[in-house]
Amino acid sequence: MSTVFTDNKTDTIRWTGKSIPRKEDDRLLKGQGRFADDIRRHNEAHVYLLRSPYGHARIRSIDVSVANEAPGVIYILTGEEVAVLQKPFMEIAPPPGGLMEDYCLAVGKVHFMGEPVVAILAETEELGRDAADLIEIDYEPLPAVVDGQAALQAGAPLVHEEAGTNVVWHGVYDWGDIEGSIAKADKVVKIDRLHFHRFTSTPIECNAAVVEYYPGSGEYTFWCNNTMPQFAAMFMGPALGIPTDRLHFVTQDIGGSFGNKITTYVYLTICAILAKKSGRPVKWTEYRTDHILGGSHGNERTFSDIVVPVMADGTILGISAAAIDDAGAFPRYEPLGSVIWSQVVPNVYRFRDVRIDFTQVVTNKCPVGPNRGYSRLQHMWMVERVVDIVAQELHLDPVAVRKQNYILPEQMPYETPNGCVYDSGDYPRCLDMALELIDYPKWRERQQTARGTGKIIGIGIGSTLDSGTNNFGQARIINPQLPFSGNGEVSNVKLDLYGEVVVTIGTTPQGQGHETTAAQVVSDILGLHPDQVRVLIGHDNARNVYTGFSGTYASQFAVTGLGAVQGAAEKLRREIVQLAAGVLQADESEIALRDGSAFVQGQEERAIPFIGLANIVFANNATMPPGLDVSLNCTYTYRPPFKVPDVEKKFGNLTLTYSTQIHASVVEVDEETGQTTILDYAAVDDSGRLIHPQIVEGQVHGAAGLGIGAALYEALEYDEEGQLLTSNFYGYKAVTAIDVPMMKTAAIESPSPFSPNGAKGMGEGGGAPLHAICSALQDVMRQKSGAIIKDSYNPSERVYWLLQNAEKSRQGVSVEESGHGL
Amino acid sequence: MSNTPSVSRSVAVTVNGTTYQRDVAARTLLVHFLRENLNLTGTHFGCDTGHCGSCTVIANGKLIKSCMMLAVQADGAQIETVEGLAEPDGSLSPLQQAFSDAHALQCGFCTPGLMLASKYLLEHNPNPTEEEIRRGIKGNLCRCTGYVNIVRAIQNIAADSAEKGDLVK
């Protein structure tokens, strides 16, 4: 495998691999972070958004005349004016999804509860809110469609009449020979329906921005917390009719995103229009209720007609299923989720024959967007449910079935049926470690002794991958016209005028510790202490380097971000060595770097500090040794080794690294109430070579915490009219400290042979707690009457229902003795 | 219809030992007063319902959510915010250091509120059990850490204080 560490380091200290104190902590612990809502501009005005109370309604009229006269009102923007000022946002999908028109404010009708309808700019947010109360909107409510399967029925209400259908995208993924598998299988397990529910990560910092327009240059500056700014620019530039380089994004500290802050371009467009109209800096900070109503939800997915050919020993040969993905009212980042799941087609298993008939639809619900584990966790949850249901129905041990089917370490790198290349990993070992952490035999015993006590113990496994560093070429499987492929991040590492090492990256960290890990990498290459490296954090496309992929999403920083930092630091090192060799009249091979100085090895008195080198280049260049062309200002773009996927066959390597997450959970269910308590929990991860083990472990904890929340407490539930019933933290029960156990963790390091440093992207997790808790609940049901866990969301009432209604839950689940084709 | 013009009131609020006299709109929430009138932006605004806890401060010795109190109600009050936690020389207090050591913060947005909640908890219960810690911070949501390292940080500081016999700062 390739290795990170430069061979010619002058110091034996290696900062990478150590859990050094985070550079970010000091300011954050003192309340000195700079988050988007902390930004103030002179003479700023405030945006208040009046949102739709209906899931689906025609707007008959909007009367703002009284509100216009209210105190402090500066400007009121409605959809009627937006339709003139803005072109509909670009759509990623070809038709029919590509025909769906998306504006920053509702034009003509509202498509979901919480859609912004009127934007009020006022001297204060409170005055804007007061004025909103004076706006009269006449709505004509329309029937709503709130379920993915219902959206496909003939006569279903159309969310976008202009598209003529609720289908955003449809495609059939077919690899191997599923019919052949079914014909030769000993048994065929059929499951009529599995449902992955809608939830979201609710970063504690809501969306926010201060937006300023400069008429002299036609430039807009967005001090904001968008986490993929050039993606936003790609939508906003054409919508506003301006070149994208007039859109200047600045991010600093960001209070969590988990993918949810990628699609904020809709709101940034409202602010941009208001900033230009008013000539004032415009400030917008989202309320929590608005964030949950109209921010970004996770994809809801219904799987139907699942057919699983299996051998008698539990070997799974393949899976055939239909998937209906509910994107909410507007596609936005979608339909990328309709292909992104295929990064992990067989999850961690060896089966080769797969057919998924995938349809994505719009409904009258909040638009979805990337959400931790994005699109892969839905698919891997289905696969994990299949494994547990197969084990139960065939009377096999779920642990044994997993081991029977896991891809083995000696098969690495392993090419999946659709051409993804799993880089490294040891799934059986991770599973063994997880089982050891929970003391599996002990719980199997306790399970027996608990019988008859009214408490049922269940043990469950969640095996997942966290695929990272996207090959954006996979977007072409959705739309062959899209000019995207590969990935990349860029970094600049330089000496400043006084010899300080300064690093910039195009990323938008939200707690992942980029300042720290970038400093570790640079320190190893330049022979410094991380305290001697200054990392300027955040994206700033007017001042700093960036690529079109820049941002922080999709488990990739350790590969793309640190790959770029490594390349730039190595370039700077070469320049420093060249310059020092010239100044010290030594051979380049004799120069070593330590503690901010370059010196001749063995003759340490022959040395020059970085400040001396910087002085020569920046302020004293008549003394430059002849023949040198150095800038001490080095930029490097890391580009992963990708090819454009085969669009016809839907085949290719879709991500560069595949981290492993194997979780084991022990739950106890109270038979009288259905209440589920987690008794023990273990998470074993393999993220390749670890740059900062503590940061990696912290993200494992975080992903597990959110996953446990989603499995047991958190759901975005709509009624049939499209009313969101869980629109704030009263209804949406974000997990608290008393809901999450003190989980146990362990890690192994299977270095990636493909990444520049052996590391793998991580952080999203694969939704392992959803899989592990459903698996444990299945283990509970197995001991009672064999009810089938068919939903990813299992609050007490559902668990109670399952205990009482095993037969109903089993409807549509069958085992056929031999395969007779589909 | 609520188009009542804002009524301004004069308040004197002591924050981290400094008394500030300001005219504020009567409906100004304490969290906005701290952030916008005093520019103490370490106290964060994360929800509009009093659930997330990122605006947690200590007011007259009580742990409160500053989005649930009007600035005018804080007239004459003693408020402690995150900006007052560090040592006079600017170094981290033992509590802050414990958070850093245990990697109890990632994005850092919920952290100020959680530290105030932790401070309050430890002042009232210097040796809490894990369950008491979890109950003590259950009003503060964190989406990054799964609470694991936050609980550990508080356990560590409690153990340290028990060993050294000093009060938690």
Side-chain angles (χ1 to χ4, degrees):
Chain A
M1 58 148 286
S2 66
T3 173
V4 195
F5 309 111
T6 50
D7 299 321
N8 51 350
K9 276 203 312 286
T10 57
D11 214 292
T12 54
I13 295 171
R14 284 183 169 176
W15 293 103
T16 44
K18 287 186 178 163
S19 295
I20 65 169
R22 288 204 323 167
K23 293 172 84 75
E24 294 85 346
D25 285 0
D26 193 76
R27 69 170 183 275
L28 295 172
L29 288 162
K30 291 176 177 170
Q32 294 169 345
R34 250 164 89 85
F35 295 92
D37 186 56
D38 299 340
I39 307 294
R40 303 269 182 274
R41 300 295 291 169
H42 176 65
N43 201 32
E44 67 191 12
H46 298 260
V47 180
Y48 179 80
L49 297 176
L50 182 57
R51 293 170 182 266
S52 169
Y54 291 103
H56 196 194
R58 202 161 302 289
I59 300 171
R60 286 206 192 100
S61 64
I62 300 177
D63 182 356
V64 300
S65 56
V66 179
N68 259 326
E69 303 305 316
V73 170
I74 299 163
Y75 198 81
I76 297 181
L77 183 70
T78 66
E80 198 177 351
E81 190 176 5
V82 163
V84 176
L85 296 174
Q86 188 211 315
K87 294 190 193 78
F89 291 115
M90 178 193 86
E91 292 295 335
I92 290 169
L99 300 172
M100 295 173 181
E101 292 189 355
D102 189 2
Y103 290 95
C104 65
L105 292 178
V107 175
K109 74 170 194 175
V110 292
H111 309 76
F112 68 98
M113 180 188 182
E115 181 174 0
V117 179
V118 182
I120 301 110
L121 188 70
E123 295 295 342
T124 69
E125 203 171 341
E126 290 81 2
L127 289 170
R129 191 170 358 194
D130 291 346
D133 285 348
L134 304 173
I135 293 172
E136 297 280 347
I137 305 178
D138 185 7
Y139 289 105
E140 176 193 342
L142 300 169
V145 58
V146 294
D147 172 77
Q149 284 177 310
L152 287 172
Q153 300 298 310
L158 289 180
V159 181
H160 296 276
E161 286 87 355
E162 66 275 16
T165 172
N166 288 323
V167 174
V168 178
W169 188 85
H170 171 257
V172 177
Y173 294 85
D174 196 348
W175 303 285
D177 175 14
I178 187 72
E179 272 90 0
S181 270
I182 291 167
K184 76 180 177 204
D186 293 332
K187 294 171 195 287
V188 176
V189 177
K190 294 188 174 177
I191 308 158
D192 64 336
R193 185 175 188 271
L194 294 172
H195 175 250
F196 190 93
H197 77 297
R198 181 177 268 245
F199 57 91
T200 191
S201 294
T202 68
I204 300 302
E205 181 203 35
C206 290
N207 295 312
V210 179
V211 181
E212 198 160 10
Y213 175 69
Y214 307 95
S217 62
E219 182 188 314
Y220 297 83
T221 296
F222 300 87
W223 288 274
C224 65
N225 51 17
N226 182 285
T227 51
M228 199 175 174
Q230 297 312 310
F231 178 83
M234 189 171 73
F235 284 79
M236 293 170 67
L240 293 168
I242 56 172
T244 56
D245 83 335
R246 304 296 194 279
L247 301 167
H248 172 205
F249 296 88
V250 185
T251 72
Q252 296 180 44
D253 289 311
I254 296 178
S257 168
F258 318 105
N260 299 168
K261 288 172 177 164
I262 288 177
T263 49
T264 63
Y265 62 83
V266 179
Y267 294 106
L268 297 179
T269 301
I270 297 172
C271 294
I273 291 172
L274 288 172
K276 186 174 180 184
K277 276 273 165 196
S278 66
R280 301 269 297 266
V282 159
K283 184 175 176 72
W284 170 67
T285 300
E286 199 176 42
Y287 293 95
R288 173 61 55 188
T289 306
D290 288 356
H291 180 79
I292 299 181
L293 277 170
S296 176
H297 290 182
N299 295 52
E300 181 175 352
R301 196 171 295 169
T302 306
F303 300 91
S304 58
D305 303 320
I306 301 158
V307 178
V308 190
V310 192
M311 302 311 283
D313 66 356
T315 300
I316 295 170
L317 302 179
I319 295 179
S320 170
I324 299 171
D325 191 83
D326 174 356
F330 294 96
R332 297 190 179 160
Y333 200 85
E334 298 301 331
L336 292 180
S338 303
V339 66
I340 281 174
W341 66 272
S342 70
Q343 296 166 5
V344 289
V345 168
N347 191 4
V348 290
Y349 302 106
R350 287 198 307 273
F351 61 83
R352 303 291 305 177
D353 302 316
V354 183
R355 179 188 294 150
I356 304 288
D357 184 309
F358 198 104
T359 308
Q360 188 174 62
V361 299
V362 282
T363 59
N364 294 115
K365 299 195 279 196
C366 177
V368 300
N371 183 49
R372 200 168 200 166
Y374 176 48
S375 191
R376 294 94 90 208
L377 84 166
Q378 288 86 347
H379 177 73
M380 291 189 290
W381 175 80
M382 182 271 284
V383 174
E384 287 293 271
R385 291 310 314 122
V386 161
V387 170
D388 279 319
I389 294 167
V390 163
Q392 174 173 301
E393 299 303 298
L394 269 49
H395 309 290
L396 299 169
D397 173 7
V399 171
V401 172
R402 284 188 168 79
K403 288 196 170 173
Q404 169 82 14
N405 286 283
Y406 274 168
I407 296 161
L408 299 172
E410 53 269 29
Q411 293 177 285
M412 298 291 176
Y414 177 84
E415 187 176 279
T416 68
N418 64 321
C420 290
V421 183
Y422 292 175
D423 47 345
S424 62
D426 188 341
Y427 313 145
R429 186 170 162 221
C430 290
L431 176 55
D432 284 339
M433 288 169 70
L435 294 174
E436 196 178 324
L437 283 173
I438 60 165
D439 195 352
Y440 181 69
K442 175 190 81 180
W443 288 112
R444 282 290 176 217
E445 270 175 40
R446 290 216 189 157
Q447 202 166 41
Q448 298 304 317
T449 53
R451 290 194 172 210
T453 63
K455 310 267 189 190
I456 316 170
I457 291 172
I459 305 165
I461 311 297
S463 320
T464 72
L465 297 173
D466 187 349
S467 48
T469 305
N470 279 334
N471 177 356
F472 277 85
Q474 65 201 277
R476 299 193 193 201
I477 292 172
I478 295 295
N479 183 350
Q481 303 302 315
L482 290 173
F484 306 134
S485 69
N487 196 338
E489 189 53 89
V490 56
S491 173
N492 176 273
V493 183
K494 66 179 182 186
L495 295 191
D496 76 358
L497 187 55
Y498 287 90
E500 188 178 21
V501 175
V502 181
V503 182
T504 51
I505 324 167
T507 59
T508 56
Q510 320 117 28
Q512 298 90 342
H514 292 187
E515 287 163 76
T516 305
T517 51
Q520 288 175 279
V521 169
V522 171
S523 296
D524 275 345
I525 293 168
L526 298 181
L528 296 166
H529 186 283
D531 287 351
Q532 295 171 297
V533 180
R534 177 165 155 78
V535 183
L536 298 179
I537 213 59
H539 188 96
D540 183 339
N541 60 305
R543 303 283 178 263
N544 291 352
V545 291
Y546 67 97
T547 73
F549 308 110
S550 284
T552 298
Y553 55 90
S555 295
Q556 64 178 30
F557 178 74
V559 175
T560 57
L562 294 183
V565 168
Q566 177 186 327
E570 284 172 347
K571 273 173 112 172
L572 178 62
R573 180 189 167 88
R574 283 195 291 276
E575 290 201 358
I576 288 173
V577 167
Q578 280 178 357
L579 182 57
V583 172
L584 300 173
Q585 298 190 324
D587 191 82
E588 285 179 23
S589 64
E590 297 176 282
I591 300 296
L593 308 184
R594 187 171 60 221
D595 204 23
S597 283
F599 61 94
V600 180
Q601 288 180 68
Q603 300 174 55
E604 302 202 6
E605 71 286 355
R606 288 173 67 192
I608 181 166
F610 286 3
I611 188 173
L613 298 172
N615 172 260
I616 291 170
V617 171
F618 299 125
N620 198 9
N621 62 23
T623 67
M624 181 93 84
L628 279 185
D629 179 20
V630 295
S631 65
L632 301 182
N633 187 326
C634 298
T635 296
Y636 180 81
T637 301
Y638 169 73
R639 180 170 60 85
F642 281 132
K643 294 194 175 87
V644 177
D646 182 326
V647 170
E648 289 301 312
K649 294 180 181 159
K650 300 182 171 66
F651 187 95
N653 192 18
L654 305 186
T655 66
L656 191 69
T657 65
Y658 298 82
S659 293
T660 312
Q661 293 273 338
I662 304 225
H663 291 203
S665 72
V666 182
V667 306
E668 180 183 81
V669 167
D670 184 320
E671 280 187 75
E672 265 185 54
T673 63
Q675 191 184 341
T676 301
T677 307
I678 298 173
L679 300 178
D680 206 349
Y681 199 94
V684 176
D685 77 289
D686 181 353
S687 303
R689 179 155 288 163
L690 301 176
I691 308 294
H692 191 298
Q694 196 183 37
I695 285 177
V696 170
E697 186 193 40
Q699 292 188 60
V700 169
H701 291 156
L706 288 185
I708 289 168
L712 295 173
Y713 306 106
E714 301 181 20
L716 293 158
E717 296 182 308
Y718 285 84
D719 73 6
E720 60 195 20
E721 294 176 344
Q723 291 288 309
L724 179 58
L725 305 174
T726 53
S727 63
N728 54 41
F729 285 143
Y730 278 108
Y732 191 81
K733 201 215 168 301
V735 276
T736 69
I738 51 176
D739 304 316
V740 182
M742 195 58 118
M743 58 195 80
K744 300 164 179 169
T745 56
I748 66 169
E749 297 185 64
S750 303
S752 174
F754 305 139
S755 70
N757 47 16
K760 301 187 185 196
M762 60 80 55
E764 290 193 79
L770 285 143
H771 322 327
I773 289 171
C774 286
S775 175
L777 289 171
Q778 190 65 65
D779 194 42
V780 166
M781 299 302 159
R782 181 182 57 79
Q783 299 166 67
K784 292 301 287 183
S785 48
I788 302 288
I789 308 295
K790 289 183 170 176
D791 203 294
S792 55
Y793 178 51
N794 290 283
S796 303
E797 58 269 30
R798 178 164 289 139
V799 174
Y800 180 79
W801 184 90
L802 286 163
L803 287 168
Q804 307 300 318
N805 295 279
E807 279 316 306
K808 278 189 200 165
S809 84
R810 295 186 55 81
Q811 281 168 15
V813 178
S814 63
V815 181
E816 295 176 7
E817 281 307 313
S818 61
H820 305 289
L822 275 172
Chain B
M1 238 178 341
S2 67
N3 192 27
T4 319
S6 308
V7 179
S8 183
R9 296 275 172 80
S10 182
V11 296
V13 184
T14 303
V15 184
N16 304 323
T18 303
T19 302
Y20 300 87
Q21 197 120 30
R22 294 286 189 277
D23 290 337
V24 295
R27 60 176 163 178
T28 304
L29 297 172
L30 178 58
V31 60
H32 290 135
F33 176 75
L34 293 169
R35 292 178 54 77
E36 281 147 36
N37 296 61
L38 306 185
N39 202 30
L40 295 170
T41 55
T43 302
H44 294 147
F45 183 67
C47 73
D48 40 290
T49 53
H51 284 87
C52 81
S54 58
C55 68
T56 301
V57 300
I58 296 173
N60 291 334
K62 285 190 175 162
L63 192 68
I64 65 148
K65 289 174 176 171
S66 60
C67 72
M68 293 285 108
M69 183 185 246
L70 294 166
V72 295
Q73 291 175 291
D75 189 19
Q78 300 275 341
I79 310 281
E80 294 170 64
T81 72
V82 63
E83 286 90 351
L85 289 180
E87 303 293 342
D89 68 357
S91 61
L92 297 180
S93 72
L95 179 64
Q96 289 169 314
Q97 191 63 52
F99 266 61
S100 182
D101 291 345
H103 187 36
L105 67 156
Q106 290 181 37
C107 79
F109 195 81
C110 71
T111 308
L114 266 157
M115 282 192 301
L116 270 297
S118 307
K119 179 175 192 278
Y120 179 88
L121 167 71
L122 291 167
E123 278 171 356
H124 290 80
N125 181 0
N127 255 311
T129 63
E130 182 189 331
E131 181 167 352
E132 287 167 341
I133 292 172
R134 290 183 180 276
R135 291 197 176 283
I137 61 170
K138 77 177 196 300
N140 295 72
L141 297 179
C142 169
R143 303 298 265 170
C144 295
T145 65
Y147 305 99
V148 175
N149 287 343
I150 295 170
V151 173
R152 283 193 185 137
I154 299 169
Q155 286 174 327
N156 292 346
I157 186 82
D160 278 2
S161 302
E163 278 169 28
K164 293 178 198 157
D166 58 3
L167 283 175
V168 173
K169 184 170 162 67

